[in-house]
Each structure stands twice: as C-alpha cells, then as structure tokens.
Amino acid sequence: MILTVTPNPSLDRTYEIPVLERGAVLRATADRVDPGGKGVNVSRAVAAAGQRTVAVLPLGGPEGALLARLLEELGIEAAGVPVAGSTRVNISVAEPDGTLTKLNASGPELTDAEAEAVLEAVRTRVESADWIACCGSLPRGLAPEWYAELVARAHRAGARIALDTSGPSLTAALRERPDVVKPNAEELAQAVGRPLATVGEAVKAAEELRGLGARAVLASLGADGQLLVDETGAYFGTAQVTAVRSNVGAGDASLAGFLAAGGSGPAALASAVAHGAAAVQLPGSAMPTPADLDPSAVVTTADIPLDRVLKEPA
Ligand SMILES: Nc1ncnc2c1ncn2[C@@H]1O[C@H](COP(=O)(O)OP(=O)(O)O)[C@@H](O)[C@H]1O
Ligand SMILES: O=P(O)(O)OC[C@H]1O[C@](O)(COP(=O)(O)O)[C@@H](O)[C@@H]1O
C-alpha cells in the first residue's frame, strides 16, 4: 500500500478562457474541479495504476466536504483529519495556446493539536505502508521541521519515505535521510542555491542533496526529462511527447509511477518518465491510467548527456 500525506490539500478549479486579460471580466468557456494537492494527486495516480493507496489529509469546511466526496467518487480511501479552517481552493486558468496561470491559496492555519492529529493518522497506518509519500507545501501553523519529524517517526516505525516539498521544509527534512526526494528543476536549484543550466549541473545538484542526507534523488526536469541519482549511480530518462495539454500534477504522476514500480532503480525511473509524459498529454490535473502510458516512448540511460543545455533552465 502507498500512503500519501498532503498537509495542505486543495480543490483544484480550472477555468478555460480564450485569453487572460488583466482587469477585464472574463467568461470561462469550460471549467472543472479536481481533488488536489500533491499527495492527493499521487494517490489518484497510484489508484489509476491499480494499486492500493490511502490519502491522509486535513479536511475542513464545505470545501473539505466536497474534496472528501470527490475522492470517494474516485474510489480513493481517504483518512481525513477534521480541522476547523476550510480546505483551500486553488485556481488554474488555461489558455488555448497551453499557457497556464496558477493561483494557489495559503490554506487554513492548523493548530498544534490538528498538526499532531495528522501525524497520528499516519502513525496508525504506517505498518501497512510500503511507501509513505509526503507531498506539497506546509499550511500555516506547521513548523518547517514538520516533515523532518514525520520522516523521523516513520523511519523509526520501519517505513520508507518519499518526500516532495521545497524550501526550508525540504532542507530541514534532508538530515532525517528520506529514501527519495523529488524536486523539480526550480526546487533543485533553490535547494543548492544556484541556477542550473545543463543536465550535468542538475546531476551535481542532486549529488549535493544526497550529501545533505537524501538517499536517492528523483529530479524532474520538465520537458528535459528526469534524473535518478542514488547509491548505485546516476540515470537519465526522457520520453517523446507529441502535444503538451497541461503540466499540472505531472510531477505528482511521475512520483506515483516511480513508487508504483518499486521506488528504486532505472525501471522505476522509466515508470516515472512514462507517467510524467502521459500526464502532460491529459487535461487539467487528470492522472494517467495504464492505457495512457507508452513505455516504448521512454529511453533511460546511465550514459548521461552532461553537457545538454536544459530547455527550461532553472
Ligand atoms: N513540456 C513537457 N514535455 C514533455 N514532458 C514533460 C513536460 N513537462 C513535464 N513533462 C514530464 O513530466 C515530468 C514532471 O514535470 P515537472 O514539470 O518536472 O514536475 P513538477 O510538476 O513537479 O513541476 C517531467 O520530468 C517530464 O517527464
Ligand atoms: O502544495 P502546493 O505547493 O501549494 O501545491 C498545490 C498544487 O499542486 C498540485 O498538486 C499540482 O502540482 P504542480 O503545481 O506541481 O503541477 C495541485 O493539485 C495543487 O493545487
């Protein structure tokens, strides 16, 4: 079972509009609402892959009730922790040329007791979890060390941890030796405090995160593919994509693919790349099912193109 933890989940509302004009009244041509937050998306993708998952998340207010209902409709088991504040709504505005503008709310402030209740919900399920994926930003009220505490407690209980977060909460958790961290290029650059222009610079940065405590680093580099750096070496994976429709949640789909394929080594990297490539070809934050995957479009290699200039430097 893959347990996910999303301390700051969301309802993701996507509006499609012809063009985004500041200061104007804009009419949407279509809109949709998806259950969101990075761990929730990982659970959606793991469930779509046909594997068992439980999503631990604080839920509050009418938005929290709707999020719970949407997860139920998808058949995803949610371990909801009731909180006083309302679950946030994040807005994405999608234009026909593929430009996506995102507005993420800060979400409710959690009390110390609510934050502890989330950790407790994890503790009671840790024994049945093959992996615990801890994902996304921390809501107000949680100290930057909250993920570090979660990693430490889960490790003491014998679980493996995948961590997808950024900034101080990533840095603080590294010393507790998470089994895999999944930064995107921007988060990787931020973590090492310098820009990344080539695949080789990204490999160096990932090695630095290992030096700081991460056992393995799965770095997603947007259109440039993905890197896995672990104790056996470094591997690079790419996949051909014909048309990008929405990259919302592509990193979450990748992490789900990685964990669903065992969570280590080049075969798991190939699964991560296949899931990322499939996710960007689907609308909104839709997560790929096995029918959407094209493993034949994926190439992985230990012969890393170190000098390759990143299309999206970070
Ligand atoms: N423009 C793109 N073209 C092809 N693949 C993409 C593109 N954007 C994302 N992907 C795939 O999805 C993965 C995750 O996307 P990325 O943007 O790196 O993560 P995140 O969503 O965490 O920011 C990439 O490593 C890649 O496999
Ligand atoms: O926790 P954060 O960093 O605010 O991000 C939350 C948002 O990220 C998502 O999980 C999507 O991930 P990406 O923005 O990385 O594509 C949305 O479902 C959610 O609205």
Side-chain angles (χ1 to χ4, degrees), residues 131 161-163 178-182 215-218 255 258-259 263:
W131 277 97
I161 301 283
L163 179 66
D179 299 271
V180 60
V181 295
K182 204 245 33 103
R215 290 174 203 263
V217 178
L218 175 68
L255 180 58
F258 186 75
L259 299 179

Side-chain angles (χ1 to χ4, degrees), residues 236-257:
F236 179 64
T238 49
Q240 214 150 27
V241 165
T242 35
V244 174
R245 283 179 77 181
S246 162
N247 63 7
V248 185
D252 307 332
S254 300
L255 180 58

Side-chain angles (χ1 to χ4, degrees), residues 38 102 164 182-187 218-227 237-255 269 272-281 311-312:
K38 296 193 196 307
K102 292 190 70 182
D164 180 3
K182 204 245 33 103
N184 63 20
E186 209 182 314
E187 293 159 347
L218 175 68
S220 63
L221 307 174
D224 295 294
Q226 293 185 35
L227 273 175
T238 49
Q240 214 150 27
V241 165
T242 35
V244 174
R245 283 179 77 181
S246 162
N247 63 7
V248 185
D252 307 332
S254 300
L255 180 58
L269 171 65
V273 174
H275 279 75
V280 294
Q281 298 181 77
K311 294 184 207 108
E312 299 171 36

Side-chain angles (χ1 to χ4, degrees), residues 32-162:
R32 55 183 280 152
V33 62
D34 294 295
K38 296 193 196 307
V40 167
N41 290 342
V42 171
S43 273
R44 290 167 61 205
V46 168
Q51 294 194 22
R52 184 156 176 250
T53 181
V54 178
V56 172
L57 70 174
L59 290 171
E63 292 82 4
L66 177 55
L67 178 50
R69 211 185 79 204
L70 293 173
L71 287 174
E72 196 182 332
E73 279 171 13
L74 290 172
I76 292 166
E77 190 180 329
V81 174
V83 295
S86 283
T87 298
R88 64 184 169 153
V89 179
N90 289 343
I91 307 285
S92 297
V93 177
E95 294 169 78
D97 68 354
T99 307
L100 195 80
T101 307
K102 292 190 70 182
L103 188 50
N104 286 2
S106 56
E109 179 164 354
L110 266 53
T111 63
D112 289 350
E114 289 169 345
E116 188 57 36
V118 177
L119 292 175
E120 182 59 15
V122 176
R123 190 192 65 77
T124 56
R125 292 165 179 85
V126 97
E127 269 169 19
S128 47
D130 298 305
W131 277 97
I132 303 181
C134 307
C135 309
S137 63
L138 292 179
R140 289 170 299 149
L142 266 61
E145 295 75 28
W146 191 83
Y147 275 133
E149 178 64 25
L150 176 43
V151 176
R153 290 192 196 186
H155 271 165
R156 281 200 293 273
R160 286 179 296 176
I161 301 283

